[in-house]
């Protein structure tokens, strides 16, 4: 059994009795240098067989943690964590590696709870974004007028720069440092920037768009202008209908085959932070464009695979949904996508040519599902008047995999 103890910036005096006992009885203490330094030496009222060995957490953590745990054998091990170990912390990592039955967690108050207490923010109304080992671009989708956001693991300069780029330069940004310690400070990030960050800190944002900025919603159907593209883009109205058929749910994985500008995969991931997607694109310049769009629109974790389907699909994890936006006429492509789908998964394919439409009609005849055609018209000048200009109609086939066929 490994015990994980959350410890705050106030160190030993702020620990609950159960946490103190766990540390005092340990044979081995594992933590960062800062965390280990918060535990007095000798430990008051220690009842272990002598002072515990103190071991630094390895870096990089994930590849080196299992060998470290293996080397400790059956000794009583206490792992120190900052605040709540199950909130973006090592407690979650240990449970994933060892199982919940081998890990006991004694949490401390999280930095999020402390920050909300200082600011008077209801915790349940606050978005939290962790940039610890993750790109800060993940902050972009949660930005919305009036929303309150806490950012972990980034610098004030990086956060304010992103806010300026995203059209939220009018936001109020506060840096809360060393929460719970005697050195605690709460001060504005602007104009001090980096100087406002001392020690461990949390960055609080009250979102306010700059004058003239147009906030982007999380609902599918972003303006076409939100994407960098070369014309290979599922247009706004068709994209909204397509995503409604793909029906993203939290934690699900999408294959976007023939991704073009990556708009379907990007909007899929924007619906929920846990949604994942793989964009498959055979043109290298478009693949790079997808990566830029993913960064700009706040889903930097989008995986881009350069290659031609169906061969490029080999080795990918099984999807919960597949969108075929291009290449449906390629031999074996639809078969490969359908066979890879998990039970209950959705396959959606779009066609603008007669040849692709014929392929989808054949599959519709064999598997059923739903076949619709969308015709979109936009108002445009006609001389001194206004008339309707029709876009090419799009045929959409949707099928759900009811069993393991």
């Amino acid at each position: 059994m490994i015990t994980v103890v959350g410890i705050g910036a106030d160190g030993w005096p702020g620990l609950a009795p159960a946490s103190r006992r766990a540390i005092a009885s340990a044979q081995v203490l594992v933590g960062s240098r800062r965390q280990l330094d918060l535990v007095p030496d000798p430990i008051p009222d220690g009842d272990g067989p002598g002072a515990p060995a103190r071991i630094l957490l390895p870096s990089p953590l994930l590849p080196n943690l299992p060998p470290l745990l293996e080397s400790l054998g059956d000794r009583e091990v206490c792992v120190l964590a900052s605040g709540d170990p199950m909130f973006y912390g090592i407690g979650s990592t240990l449970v994933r590696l060892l199982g919940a039955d081998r890990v006991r967690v004694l949490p401390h108050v999280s930095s999020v709870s402390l920050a909300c207490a200082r600011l008077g923010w209801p915790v349940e109304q606050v978005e939290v974004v962790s940039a610890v080992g993750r790109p800060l671009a993940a902050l972009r989708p949660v930005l919305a007028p009036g929303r309150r956001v806490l950012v972990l693991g980034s610098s004030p300069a990086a956060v304010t720069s992103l806010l300026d780029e995203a059209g939220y330069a009018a936001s109020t940004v506060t840096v809360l440092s060393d929460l719970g310690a005697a050195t605690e400070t709460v001060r504005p990030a602007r104009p001090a920037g980096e100087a406002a960050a001392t020690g461990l800190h949390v960055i609080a944002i009250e979102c306010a768009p700059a004058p003239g900025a147009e906030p982007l919603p999380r609902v599918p159907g972003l303006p076409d202008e939100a994407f960098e593209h070369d014309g290979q883009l599922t247009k706004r109205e068709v994209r909204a209908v397509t995503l409604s058929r793909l029906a993203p749910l939290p934690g699900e994985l999408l294959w976007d085959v023939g991704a073009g500008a990556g708009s379907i995969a990007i909007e899929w991931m924007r619906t929920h932070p846990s949604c994942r997607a793989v964009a498959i694109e055979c043109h290298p310049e478009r693949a790079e464009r997808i990566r830029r769009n993913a960064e700009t629109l706040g889903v930097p974790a989008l995986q881009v695979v350069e290659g031609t389907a169906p061969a490029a699909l080999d080795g990918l994890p099984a999807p919960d949904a597949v969108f075929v936006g291009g290449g449906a006429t390629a031999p074996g492509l639809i078969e490969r996508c359908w066979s890879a789908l998990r039970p209950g998964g959705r396959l959606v394919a779009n066609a603008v040519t007669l040849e692709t439409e014929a392929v989808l009609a054949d599959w519709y005849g064999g598997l059923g599902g739903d076949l619709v055609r969308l015709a979109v018209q936009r108002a445009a000048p006609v001389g001194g008047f206004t008339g309707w200009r029709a876009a090419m109609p799009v045929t959409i086939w949707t099928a759900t995999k009811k069993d393991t066929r």
Side-chain angles (χ1 to χ4, degrees):
M1 175 71 70
I2 289 179
T3 300
V4 187
V5 172
I7 189 167
D10 51 352
W12 185 262
L15 289 176
S19 296
R20 291 188 180 188
R21 288 194 297 270
I23 293 174
S25 62
Q27 295 174 285
V28 180
L29 280 183
V30 180
S32 69
R33 172 55 59 198
R34 183 189 64 82
Q35 292 158 353
L36 291 171
D37 287 346
L38 291 172
V39 177
D41 188 12
I43 297 173
D45 303 320
D47 57 2
R54 299 188 179 215
I55 298 177
L56 287 173
L57 278 170
S59 180
L61 179 67
L62 291 180
N64 294 311
L65 186 57
L68 171 62
L69 297 176
E70 183 71 23
S71 71
L72 298 178
D74 295 329
R75 286 184 283 179
E76 287 291 326
V77 178
C78 180
V79 177
L80 301 178
S82 295
D84 185 347
M86 300 303 290
F87 187 76
Y88 293 108
I90 195 170
S92 304
T93 302
L94 289 170
V95 168
R96 186 172 66 250
L97 291 174
L98 305 175
D101 58 332
R102 294 184 57 193
V103 181
R104 180 172 67 130
V105 179
L106 301 176
H108 193 69
V109 180
S110 71
S111 59
V112 167
S113 293
L114 288 171
C116 288
R118 301 297 185 267
L119 297 167
W121 291 2
V123 178
E124 73 277 6
Q125 297 176 15
V126 174
E127 298 268 9
V128 179
V129 175
S130 174
V132 179
R134 302 172 177 86
L136 182 59
L139 171 62
R140 290 178 181 267
V142 307
L143 299 175
R147 295 297 294 166
R148 290 167 168 173
V149 183
L150 293 178
V151 180
L152 313 177
S154 187
S155 70
V159 169
T160 53
S161 176
L162 185 146
L163 291 173
D164 293 347
E165 294 172 6
Y168 281 83
S171 301
T172 300
V173 184
T174 304
V175 182
L176 302 97
S177 301
D178 294 334
L179 287 166
T183 54
E184 177 181 310
T185 60
V186 179
R187 57 180 87 172
R190 302 178 192 267
E194 285 286 356
T198 58
L200 295 175
H201 61 273
V202 177
I203 300 172
I205 307 167
E206 292 187 88
C207 298
E214 296 185 7
L216 296 177
R218 298 288 283 270
V219 176
L222 292 178
D224 293 347
E225 296 75 24
F227 299 91
E228 180 187 344
H229 64 90
D230 60 359
Q232 292 298 310
L233 174 76
T234 303
K235 300 302 189 291
R236 182 178 194 173
E237 295 81 5
V238 176
R239 193 183 332 123
V241 173
T242 299
L243 284 192
S244 74
R245 300 304 179 95
L246 288 167
L249 294 173
E252 289 193 329
L253 172 68
L254 169 76
W255 287 0
D256 184 356
V257 183
S263 62
I264 294 292
I266 288 168
E267 293 225 47
W268 166 281
M269 292 183 67
R270 282 175 59 89
T271 62
H272 193 272
S274 66
C275 283
R276 299 164 294 135
V278 181
I280 298 94
E281 176 53 55
C282 63
H283 298 283
E285 67 277 9
R286 287 179 183 162
E288 282 303 311
R289 192 176 292 117
I290 292 170
R291 294 184 180 97
R292 292 195 296 271
N293 282 331
E295 180 80 14
T296 299
L297 292 168
V299 289
L302 172 62
Q303 180 183 351
V304 181
V305 173
E306 295 184 34
T308 302
L313 306 177
D314 293 344
L316 296 180
D320 301 286
V322 176
F323 173 61
V324 180
T329 57
L333 176 60
I334 298 294
E335 290 90 339
R336 176 72 176 82
C337 292
W338 182 256
S339 65
L341 266 180
R342 296 179 183 274
R346 291 81 63 199
L347 191 152
V348 178
N350 289 3
V352 295
T353 67
L354 290 173
E355 291 79 6
T356 304
E357 193 174 76
V359 171
L360 300 189
D362 283 344
W363 277 93
Y364 173 69
L367 289 177
D370 186 57
L371 196 65
V372 299
R373 178 178 287 173
L374 296 184
V376 178
Q377 299 179 348
R378 292 185 176 85
V382 179
F385 297 90
T386 303
W388 294 105
R389 294 195 184 277
M392 292 182 67
V394 179
T395 299
I396 302 177
W397 174 56
T398 306
T400 301
K401 196 169 188 179
K402 300 295 186 181
D403 52 37
T404 56
R405 290 180 297 166

